[in-house]
PDB file of all heavy atoms in Angstrom:
ATOM      1  N   VAL A 160      -8.605   7.885  29.457  1.00 94.00           N
ATOM      2  CA  VAL A 160      -7.861   6.596  29.465  1.00 94.00           C
ATOM      3  C   VAL A 160      -7.264   6.376  28.095  1.00 94.00           C
ATOM      4  O   VAL A 160      -7.985   6.376  27.085  1.00 94.00           O
ATOM      5  CB  VAL A 160      -8.653   5.530  29.908  1.00 94.00           C
ATOM      6  CG1 VAL A 160      -7.739   4.187  29.954  1.00 94.00           C
ATOM      7  CG2 VAL A 160      -9.238   5.668  31.380  1.00 94.00           C
ATOM      8  N   PHE A 161      -5.993   6.200  28.062  1.00 93.00           N
ATOM      9  CA  PHE A 161      -5.379   5.635  26.716  1.00 93.00           C
ATOM     10  C   PHE A 161      -4.154   4.742  27.115  1.00 93.00           C
ATOM     11  O   PHE A 161      -3.342   5.041  27.900  1.00 93.00           O
ATOM     12  CB  PHE A 161      -4.813   6.952  25.952  1.00 93.00           C
ATOM     13  CG  PHE A 161      -4.076   6.583  24.777  1.00 93.00           C
ATOM     14  CD1 PHE A 161      -4.767   5.949  23.663  1.00 93.00           C
ATOM     15  CD2 PHE A 161      -2.703   6.675  24.709  1.00 93.00           C
ATOM     16  CE1 PHE A 161      -4.073   5.600  22.534  1.00 93.00           C
ATOM     17  CE2 PHE A 161      -2.015   6.320  23.566  1.00 93.00           C
ATOM     18  CZ  PHE A 161      -2.707   5.651  22.477  1.00 93.00           C
ATOM     19  N   ALA A 162      -4.219   3.607  26.360  1.00 93.00           N
ATOM     20  CA  ALA A 162      -3.225   2.586  26.559  1.00 93.00           C
ATOM     21  C   ALA A 162      -2.984   2.273  28.002  1.00 93.00           C
ATOM     22  O   ALA A 162      -1.857   2.119  28.454  1.00 93.00           O
ATOM     23  CB  ALA A 162      -1.910   3.168  25.823  1.00 93.00           C
ATOM     24  N   GLY A 163      -4.073   2.186  28.801  1.00 93.00           N
ATOM     25  CA  GLY A 163      -3.995   1.661  30.100  1.00 93.00           C
ATOM     26  C   GLY A 163      -3.506   2.820  31.112  1.00 93.00           C
ATOM     27  O   GLY A 163      -3.273   2.446  32.308  1.00 93.00           O
ATOM     28  N   GLN A 164      -3.351   3.941  30.599  1.00 96.00           N
ATOM     29  CA  GLN A 164      -2.839   5.046  31.487  1.00 96.00           C
ATOM     30  C   GLN A 164      -4.033   6.085  31.640  1.00 96.00           C
ATOM     31  O   GLN A 164      -4.812   6.308  30.630  1.00 96.00           O
ATOM     32  CB  GLN A 164      -1.593   5.694  31.109  1.00 96.00           C
ATOM     33  CG  GLN A 164      -0.402   4.875  31.097  1.00 96.00           C
ATOM     34  CD  GLN A 164       0.806   5.699  30.900  1.00 96.00           C
ATOM     35  OE1 GLN A 164       0.863   6.562  30.014  1.00 96.00           O
ATOM     36  NE2 GLN A 164       1.966   5.449  31.560  1.00 96.00           N
ATOM     37  N   ARG A 165      -4.022   6.695  32.786  1.00 97.00           N
ATOM     38  CA  ARG A 165      -5.122   7.787  32.967  1.00 97.00           C
ATOM     39  C   ARG A 165      -4.442   9.159  32.827  1.00 97.00           C
ATOM     40  O   ARG A 165      -3.217   9.337  33.179  1.00 97.00           O
ATOM     41  CB  ARG A 165      -5.667   7.654  34.349  1.00 97.00           C
ATOM     42  CG  ARG A 165      -6.491   6.345  34.506  1.00 97.00           C
ATOM     43  CD  ARG A 165      -7.478   6.297  35.624  1.00 97.00           C
ATOM     44  NE  ARG A 165      -8.575   7.062  35.347  1.00 97.00           N
ATOM     45  CZ  ARG A 165      -9.665   6.700  34.743  1.00 97.00           C
ATOM     46  NH1 ARG A 165      -9.806   5.497  34.247  1.00 97.00           N
ATOM     47  NH2 ARG A 165     -10.702   7.542  34.567  1.00 97.00           N
ATOM     48  N   TYR A 166      -5.184  10.119  32.128  1.00 97.00           N
ATOM     49  CA  TYR A 166      -4.730  11.452  31.949  1.00 97.00           C
ATOM     50  C   TYR A 166      -5.775  12.397  32.343  1.00 97.00           C
ATOM     51  O   TYR A 166      -6.941  12.118  32.360  1.00 97.00           O
ATOM     52  CB  TYR A 166      -4.447  11.680  30.385  1.00 97.00           C
ATOM     53  CG  TYR A 166      -3.282  10.768  29.832  1.00 97.00           C
ATOM     54  CD1 TYR A 166      -3.583   9.473  29.346  1.00 97.00           C
ATOM     55  CD2 TYR A 166      -2.076  11.196  29.723  1.00 97.00           C
ATOM     56  CE1 TYR A 166      -2.678   8.717  28.885  1.00 97.00           C
ATOM     57  CE2 TYR A 166      -1.105  10.425  29.300  1.00 97.00           C
ATOM     58  CZ  TYR A 166      -1.420   9.164  28.813  1.00 97.00           C
ATOM     59  OH  TYR A 166      -0.277   8.345  28.265  1.00 97.00           O
ATOM     60  N   ASP A 167      -5.284  13.653  32.603  1.00 97.00           N
ATOM     61  CA  ASP A 167      -6.147  14.731  32.847  1.00 97.00           C
ATOM     62  C   ASP A 167      -6.668  15.388  31.642  1.00 97.00           C
ATOM     63  O   ASP A 167      -5.988  15.457  30.660  1.00 97.00           O
ATOM     64  CB  ASP A 167      -5.444  15.857  33.825  1.00 97.00           C
ATOM     65  CG  ASP A 167      -4.952  15.365  35.186  1.00 97.00           C
ATOM     66  OD1 ASP A 167      -5.424  14.261  35.549  1.00 97.00           O
ATOM     67  OD2 ASP A 167      -4.153  16.068  35.732  1.00 97.00           O
ATOM     68  N   LYS A 168      -7.909  15.933  31.755  1.00 97.00           N
ATOM     69  CA  LYS A 168      -8.483  16.705  30.622  1.00 97.00           C
ATOM     70  C   LYS A 168      -8.796  18.080  31.102  1.00 97.00           C
ATOM     71  O   LYS A 168      -9.247  18.311  32.153  1.00 97.00           O
ATOM     72  CB  LYS A 168      -9.805  16.090  30.110  1.00 97.00           C
ATOM     73  CG  LYS A 168      -9.643  14.928  29.207  1.00 97.00           C
ATOM     74  CD  LYS A 168     -10.878  14.230  28.801  1.00 97.00           C
ATOM     75  CE  LYS A 168     -11.701  15.123  27.739  1.00 97.00           C
ATOM     76  NZ  LYS A 168     -12.834  14.400  27.311  1.00 97.00           N
ATOM     77  N   GLU A 169      -8.552  19.093  30.251  1.00 98.00           N
ATOM     78  CA  GLU A 169      -8.871  20.453  30.565  1.00 98.00           C
ATOM     79  C   GLU A 169     -10.062  20.847  29.763  1.00 98.00           C
ATOM     80  O   GLU A 169     -10.292  20.469  28.570  1.00 98.00           O
ATOM     81  CB  GLU A 169      -7.733  21.413  30.101  1.00 98.00           C
ATOM     82  CG  GLU A 169      -7.780  22.808  30.704  1.00 98.00           C
ATOM     83  CD  GLU A 169      -6.567  23.611  30.763  1.00 98.00           C
ATOM     84  OE1 GLU A 169      -5.529  23.133  30.344  1.00 98.00           O
ATOM     85  OE2 GLU A 169      -6.620  24.741  31.212  1.00 98.00           O
ATOM     86  N   VAL A 170     -10.981  21.671  30.432  1.00 98.00           N
ATOM     87  CA  VAL A 170     -12.200  22.055  29.766  1.00 98.00           C
ATOM     88  C   VAL A 170     -12.023  23.555  29.492  1.00 98.00           C
ATOM     89  O   VAL A 170     -11.660  24.374  30.405  1.00 98.00           O
ATOM     90  CB  VAL A 170     -13.409  21.856  30.727  1.00 98.00           C
ATOM     91  CG1 VAL A 170     -14.679  22.432  30.107  1.00 98.00           C
ATOM     92  CG2 VAL A 170     -13.591  20.345  31.087  1.00 98.00           C
ATOM     93  N   PHE A 171     -12.231  23.979  28.248  1.00 98.00           N
ATOM     94  CA  PHE A 171     -12.220  25.365  27.821  1.00 98.00           C
ATOM     95  C   PHE A 171     -13.613  25.650  27.319  1.00 98.00           C
ATOM     96  O   PHE A 171     -14.375  24.849  26.934  1.00 98.00           O
ATOM     97  CB  PHE A 171     -11.239  25.613  26.702  1.00 98.00           C
ATOM     98  CG  PHE A 171      -9.789  25.375  27.129  1.00 98.00           C
ATOM     99  CD1 PHE A 171      -9.259  24.115  27.044  1.00 98.00           C
ATOM    100  CD2 PHE A 171      -9.030  26.444  27.466  1.00 98.00           C
ATOM    101  CE1 PHE A 171      -7.870  23.897  27.319  1.00 98.00           C
ATOM    102  CE2 PHE A 171      -7.730  26.251  27.880  1.00 98.00           C
ATOM    103  CZ  PHE A 171      -7.120  25.004  27.705  1.00 98.00           C
ATOM    104  N   SER A 172     -13.892  27.017  27.482  1.00 98.00           N
ATOM    105  CA  SER A 172     -15.243  27.399  26.885  1.00 98.00           C
ATOM    106  C   SER A 172     -15.218  28.935  26.472  1.00 98.00           C
ATOM    107  O   SER A 172     -14.295  29.743  26.913  1.00 98.00           O
ATOM    108  CB  SER A 172     -16.384  27.253  27.915  1.00 98.00           C
ATOM    109  OG  SER A 172     -16.190  28.137  29.058  1.00 98.00           O
ATOM    110  N   VAL A 173     -16.193  29.183  25.588  1.00 98.00           N
ATOM    111  CA  VAL A 173     -16.453  30.543  25.279  1.00 98.00           C
ATOM    112  C   VAL A 173     -18.050  30.744  25.252  1.00 98.00           C
ATOM    113  O   VAL A 173     -18.731  29.842  24.903  1.00 98.00           O
ATOM    114  CB  VAL A 173     -15.836  30.915  23.807  1.00 98.00           C
ATOM    115  CG1 VAL A 173     -16.472  30.094  22.714  1.00 98.00           C
ATOM    116  CG2 VAL A 173     -16.022  32.432  23.578  1.00 98.00           C
ATOM    117  N   LEU A 174     -18.447  31.856  25.863  1.00 98.00           N
ATOM    118  CA  LEU A 174     -19.778  32.166  25.851  1.00 98.00           C
ATOM    119  C   LEU A 174     -20.142  33.065  24.704  1.00 98.00           C
ATOM    120  O   LEU A 174     -19.373  33.816  24.083  1.00 98.00           O
ATOM    121  CB  LEU A 174     -20.195  32.898  27.249  1.00 98.00           C
ATOM    122  CG  LEU A 174     -19.679  32.161  28.406  1.00 98.00           C
ATOM    123  CD1 LEU A 174     -20.027  32.944  29.651  1.00 98.00           C
ATOM    124  CD2 LEU A 174     -20.250  30.738  28.498  1.00 98.00           C
TER     125      LEU A 174
END
Side-chain angles (χ1 to χ4, degrees):
V160 178
F161 174 68
Q164 292 188 324
R165 299 196 72 85
Y166 296 87
D167 295 345
K168 279 177 79 172
E169 191 163 3
V170 179
F171 294 88
S172 68
V173 62
L174 306 179

